[in-house]
Amino acid sequence: MTLLESFGSEQTKKVLSRHGAREPFFGVKIGDLKKIQKKTGKAYQLALELFDTGNSDAMYLAAMIADEESLTKKDLRKWARKANWSMLSEYAVGQVAAETKHGWELGLEWIESPKENISTSGWSTLSNIISTAPNETLDLETIESHLQRIEKAIHQSKNREKYAMSGYVVCVACYVEALHNKAIATAERIGELEVETATPGCSPPNMIGDINKVVSKGRLGKKRKRARC
């Protein structure tokens, strides 16, 4: 924690605060967290202890260094409950959960939660699995049913759920070629989303635009190597 604090800055704190970060946190850049990650490597027990501090920087680092083979469903459920803003729920928890053997099961469980932070962890977990797992291992029928569900529910959903659901549609379109056209059609029918952005000038989700960028780069169907960056 002392090392983490040494990397903190007031400027980074201001930026993270505007995006929803809650105290306590030091304001550590991801690049500096990666410096610590290189020192620790994967460290299951340390990850649990860091997450339990309730410090946002430490919680994010915990997900970076967690050993995906050791994380239990109990651990991940606890983390999803405690993730109190989007960087933790949609990125830290969603990415590490996707790399565990529990990811698909927990993703399906979490999207049913009435709590925004948990449901967004669920959509993020499923999206990360879709973007990394071989298509032959995916349940395409369930994935397609989620497109229909999102189309019906997204405009009435909570703010961060709109972001997470739209991200799911983009992932399906970009990484599952068999469902590409259906995901595109879903995005077109959904249309523009009304969301609260973190700061003036921030753009709302643009599903068609994001999909077209991937297609234009010739990366349609090309999977990511892992969920965590």
Side-chain angles (χ1 to χ4, degrees), residues 51 55-57 59-60 82-94 121:
F51 208 94
N55 178 289
S56 183
D57 301 305
M59 294 165 82
Y60 197 94
K82 288 194 168 187
N84 58 14
W85 71 293
S86 59
M87 278 289 289
L88 296 178
S89 58
E90 296 165 43
Y91 295 91
V93 174
S121 287

Side-chain angles (χ1 to χ4, degrees), residues 32-93:
D32 290 327
L33 291 177
K34 289 184 177 181
K35 293 176 184 177
I36 303 175
Q37 179 188 25
K38 288 181 180 179
K39 294 177 180 291
T40 66
K42 291 183 180 179
Y44 171 65
Q45 190 58 42
L46 177 58
L48 297 183
E49 293 170 6
L50 285 169
F51 208 94
D52 280 345
T53 65
N55 178 289
S56 183
D57 301 305
M59 294 165 82
Y60 197 94
L61 177 61
M64 291 173 68
I65 68 172
D67 178 6
E68 68 277 7
E69 297 295 331
S70 300
L71 282 170
T72 67
K73 284 190 278 189
K74 182 179 179 181
D75 295 330
L76 291 164
R77 286 181 176 126
K78 180 180 180 181
W79 284 16
R81 289 195 305 271
K82 288 194 168 187
N84 58 14
W85 71 293
S86 59
M87 278 289 289
L88 296 178
S89 58
E90 296 165 43
Y91 295 91
V93 174

Side-chain angles (χ1 to χ4, degrees), residues 60-133:
Y60 197 94
L61 177 61
M64 291 173 68
I65 68 172
D67 178 6
E68 68 277 7
E69 297 295 331
S70 300
L71 282 170
T72 67
K73 284 190 278 189
K74 182 179 179 181
D75 295 330
L76 291 164
R77 286 181 176 126
K78 180 180 180 181
W79 284 16
R81 289 195 305 271
K82 288 194 168 187
N84 58 14
W85 71 293
S86 59
M87 278 289 289
L88 296 178
S89 58
E90 296 165 43
Y91 295 91
V93 174
Q95 289 175 359
V96 72
E99 292 186 359
T100 72
K101 60 185 177 182
H102 314 296
W104 187 255
E105 177 186 350
L106 289 177
L108 294 178
E109 174 186 310
W110 290 340
I111 62 173
E112 303 301 333
S113 175
K115 295 182 178 179
E116 185 176 19
N117 65 310
I118 296 178
S119 67
T120 54
S121 287
W123 288 113
S124 173
T125 299
L126 297 179
S127 295
N128 278 290
I129 292 172
I130 289 168
S131 70
T132 56

